[in-house]
Amino acid sequence: MRLSTTLMRAERTETQRRGTSSLRSPLLCVLLAVISLLSVDAVAQERSTLVRMLAEARDFRVRARAALALGSTGDSSAVSPLTTALRDDDSAAVRAAAASALGSIGRTEALPALRAASGDSSSDVREAADAAIRTLSASGPSGGAARSGSASGGGGRMPSVEVLPPSRDVDWSTTRYAVVM
């Protein structure tokens, strides 16, 4: 719960700084829904899409959500693009999401970048980096993932999706919007 509060605060600060509206365009909603509803069948392709969105999306909210989705895969190949986002992204919300994602992946090779982010100008980024450092330090020197499990495509875990009500009870043919938080 604390992470989502931190990210929401960073996103609100970023929105105020840029003077952008908090209302999301339909395209943004679709992109966020795609990120959250990844299929296990195209794991490698979806991961590369997330990496591309993290690096190239113009809207910081899309980049932040892509970082979180990459973190929930548990895939160690996401460490490099997340580290780059943590170091180079202009948005504090994206940097905080990248720090959190690195902690979720659980690979100790992310520690140097997280330690550097502990001195970030944004308190949200510093908090996320410190929490990730604590998580990685607690996981031990193995450098393995903090969480176990893998997707059928190999290597990592896919983001979990929680739908209320359960998806089997939803008439998807009449659903117009999916809200992703």
Side-chain angles (χ1 to χ4, degrees):
M1 197 55 84
R2 181 167 167 72
L3 169 63
S4 60
T5 303
T6 300
L7 290 176
M8 286 173 49
R9 186 173 58 231
E11 186 173 305
R12 185 173 40 250
T13 302
E14 187 73 19
T15 299
Q16 290 169 347
R17 183 180 73 81
R18 291 179 184 239
T20 57
S21 169
S22 63
L23 296 175
R24 293 183 170 92
S25 69
L27 178 60
L28 179 60
C29 290
V30 170
L31 287 174
L32 294 176
V34 167
I35 290 171
S36 296
L37 299 174
L38 295 173
S39 93
V40 175
D41 296 333
V43 174
Q45 182 178 2
E46 297 300 338
R47 286 189 188 129
S48 67
T49 300
L50 288 171
V51 169
R52 190 172 61 252
M53 290 173 76
L54 175 63
E56 299 173 5
R58 290 174 44 182
D59 192 307
F60 74 94
R61 292 169 287 218
V62 173
R63 295 192 314 272
R65 299 291 195 262
L68 293 173
L70 281 169
S72 60
T73 66
D75 185 5
S76 61
S77 69
V79 170
S80 179
L82 287 167
T83 300
T84 300
L86 177 61
R87 184 185 61 235
D88 298 337
D89 201 285
D90 292 336
S91 168
V94 176
R95 293 192 311 272
S100 173
L102 287 167
S104 295
I105 290 173
R107 302 294 299 191
T108 56
E109 62 259 25
L111 281 172
L114 289 166
R115 287 187 182 114
S118 294
D120 194 274
S121 60
S122 167
S123 63
D124 296 321
V125 176
R126 289 192 305 267
E127 287 176 22
D130 291 341
I133 290 169
R134 284 192 300 275
T135 300
L136 294 177
S137 297
S139 70
S142 67
R147 295 178 305 189
S148 62
S150 65
S152 63
R157 290 176 18 133
M158 297 307 299
S160 63
V161 176
E162 193 170 325
V163 178
L164 298 174
S167 62
R168 67 180 172 275
D169 297 337
V170 175
D171 180 9
W172 291 105
S173 64
T174 61
T175 302
R176 296 182 74 179
Y177 298 100
V179 178
V180 181
M181 296 190 182

